[in-house]
Amino acid sequence: MRDAPNDQGAGPAGPAGLTGQTGLTGFHRYTWWSLIGTTEFFLVFFVGEWVLDPDVAAWARIPGAVGLAATAVASAVLLSRRVAIAPAGAPDSVRERPPVAWLTAGSAGAALLGGVALAVRNYELWSYAPATMVTVAATFLSPRRRRELIAGAVAVAAVLGGAVALACGDGPVQAAAFPAVMVASVAWITLGMLWGWDVAGRLNRARGLAAELAVKDERLRFAADLHDIQGHHLQVIALKGELAARLVEADPARAAAEMKDVQRLATDALTDTRAVVQGYRRTSLDAEITNAARVLAAADIDARLHIEPADAEAGFDADSLPPAGRHLLGLVMREATTNVLRHSQARRAEVDYRLTNGFARLRVSNDGAAGPPRSGMDTGTGLRTLAERLEAAGGELTWEHKEDSFMVAASLPVEAGAHVDSEGAAG
């Protein structure tokens, strides 16, 4: 037996299509809690302690509390919205602008809180709330504008803190340096955590584009092969047909010989075309199981494989099931994997394949089915079509949907697999 677990948990679809089946659910959750948790913790821990300090004048504590509440709520809403949208650097057409109302409310609260703290000459604390809102606003900007905003905020914080300290007769160096460092530190921490999420989003989109390009490249390869084969044969057939038409009255025997060549060329063209199509669509069970494990892992689904390709009692081993039978079960494996990816929000999937009592048995199940798969059920290599083909080969294909689980089970007699029509299996 071989177990191949994938320990990357998965979850429901998330914002902007970036989570769920794309495998970013856990990272989205981590980024959300890290960004908002860190921001809110330091706001409440540092600024909240100062607001509650009885030594601070009441005229400063009351507006400070109002500013703190506005800053905390607005920053949480804005950061939550930012994590849910396209990352910085994405095209403007797919990026969302920050909610102006929340940005205005948070900025006003931060300005009120910072102004009150600066008025009582708290040169260390006053810049934290403004630094938080400047950083939150910067998360919605492109990298270049983000750097410009942060640099400007650092300069303003240094000048403002130093000017107030100088006017009040306090030391201007520390009063200028500390707010500048505060703004830069808050930006570094917050944008650093967000940077990881942005990179993950871009890599996820790049992975999707790479898959699309691979499909297009394969289609182009197939089209080129088909063109090379049919183009040559059809050109020769056209020339010989034209020659036979000219010879039909002058030299009937020669015309008949040319038409026999045309018939032979047509047969060769048909044979070569079938070979290309079968080579393009030929599916192997082993390859499809391996591919399913890789694809499900890429979709952040915990894939468990249980493989026992031998039946010692019946004398069957991995090579006992003929290629045509492995191809037919490979189509079942491919269709079941497609259903997991397209029609479920699975966290776990299980693939069980074994030879037992003279039968090759394949079972694929997942725990995230919203309902039985609809597309592909009646045409192509859908489940109903595959069920008919397995039945014709002496096997059976069933599927069962219970609550949020879906299971596909196929069985095929090992000896009967040798009689599966190879052309039909490829079609």
Side-chain angles (χ1 to χ4, degrees):
M1 179 181 295
R2 183 171 72 248
D3 289 341
N6 167 34
D7 294 325
Q8 302 172 337
L18 292 180
T19 57
Q21 293 182 357
T22 63
L24 297 181
T25 301
F27 192 47
H28 172 265
R29 187 181 300 114
Y30 167 80
T31 305
W32 191 94
W33 280 108
S34 297
L35 274 175
I36 298 179
T38 301
T39 301
E40 301 305 305
F41 172 78
F42 284 108
L43 271 174
V44 174
F45 184 78
F46 287 117
V47 185
E49 184 181 14
W50 175 79
V51 170
L52 297 176
D53 188 351
D55 294 334
V56 178
W59 67 266
R61 283 191 291 159
I62 295 176
V66 174
L68 174 61
T71 304
V73 174
S75 61
V77 172
L78 290 168
L79 287 174
S80 181
R81 184 71 61 88
R82 175 56 180 81
V83 176
I85 63 175
D92 291 340
S93 58
V94 300
R95 292 182 57 215
E96 184 178 332
R97 303 304 177 189
V100 177
W102 283 109
L103 189 59
T104 302
S107 299
L112 176 62
L113 181 56
V116 169
L118 190 58
V120 297
R121 301 161 71 177
N122 189 329
Y123 299 117
E124 290 80 18
L125 188 65
W126 75 268
S127 61
Y128 187 80
T132 298
M133 286 309 304
V134 166
T135 302
V136 170
T139 63
F140 289 89
L141 301 178
S142 64
R144 182 179 64 83
R145 294 183 178 180
R146 179 184 299 173
R147 289 191 293 269
E148 293 174 353
L149 177 61
I150 298 299
V154 169
V156 169
V159 171
L160 187 57
V164 172
L166 188 62
C168 295
D170 299 324
V173 176
Q174 182 178 357
F178 196 90
V181 173
M182 177 70 76
V183 174
S185 299
V186 171
W188 179 271
I189 295 172
T190 303
L191 296 178
M193 289 186 288
L194 187 64
W195 175 78
W197 170 248
D198 288 347
V199 171
R202 287 194 289 269
L203 289 175
N204 187 68
R205 278 187 292 277
R207 182 179 63 180
L209 290 175
E212 292 179 6
L213 289 175
V215 172
K216 291 179 180 179
D217 287 344
E218 181 62 13
R219 288 174 178 172
L220 289 175
R221 184 201 66 79
F222 175 68
D225 289 348
L226 199 61
H227 175 270
D228 292 342
I229 290 174
Q230 290 193 344
H232 170 74
H233 285 299
L234 291 176
Q235 185 176 16
V236 177
I237 287 172
L239 292 174
K240 284 188 170 291
E242 182 180 355
L243 177 61
R246 291 200 304 265
L247 295 174
V248 68
E249 294 183 357
D251 191 348
R254 174 76 183 279
E258 294 295 338
M259 290 308 299
K260 287 182 180 180
D261 284 344
V262 168
Q263 181 182 16
R264 177 184 59 78
L265 288 169
T267 301
D268 291 344
L270 182 60
T271 301
D272 291 344
T273 300
R274 284 176 175 172
V276 171
V277 172
Q278 289 180 1
Y280 178 70
R281 299 189 65 187
R282 176 61 60 183
T283 304
S284 167
L285 176 59
D286 297 337
E288 287 301 322
I289 291 178
T290 302
N291 182 66
R294 183 171 60 251
V295 171
L296 292 174
D300 208 8
I301 297 174
D302 185 357
R304 303 277 176 167
L305 305 185
H306 307 282
I307 312 299
E308 291 185 359
D311 184 1
E313 295 182 2
F316 295 127
D317 57 19
D319 297 326
S320 297
L321 185 64
R326 291 198 296 271
H327 168 72
L328 191 52
L329 290 180
L331 291 177
V332 175
M333 185 68 241
R334 176 188 293 178
E335 180 66 14
T337 304
T338 300
N339 286 336
V340 174
L341 296 175
R342 291 184 178 177
H343 308 299
S344 78
Q345 296 292 337
R347 292 177 181 271
R348 291 176 296 276
E350 182 174 323
V351 177
D352 187 291
Y353 172 68
R354 63 189 69 230
L355 295 179
T356 176
N357 298 326
F359 279 83
R361 302 185 185 276
L362 174 67
R363 182 173 60 84
V364 184
S365 59
N366 72 87
D367 67 347
R374 296 180 296 276
S375 62
M377 291 286 286
D378 299 306
T379 60
T381 57
L383 293 179
R384 295 195 186 281
T385 301
L386 289 172
E388 295 174 357
R389 290 167 63 174
L390 262 78
E391 183 177 359
E396 182 182 28
L397 177 64
T398 60
W399 53 91
E400 183 178 16
H401 176 245
K402 288 184 178 180
E403 298 180 353
D404 63 345
S405 65
F406 189 78
M407 185 268 294
V408 176
S411 63
L412 184 68
V414 175
E415 295 179 351
H419 307 297
V420 178
D421 179 65
S422 59
E423 276 192 22

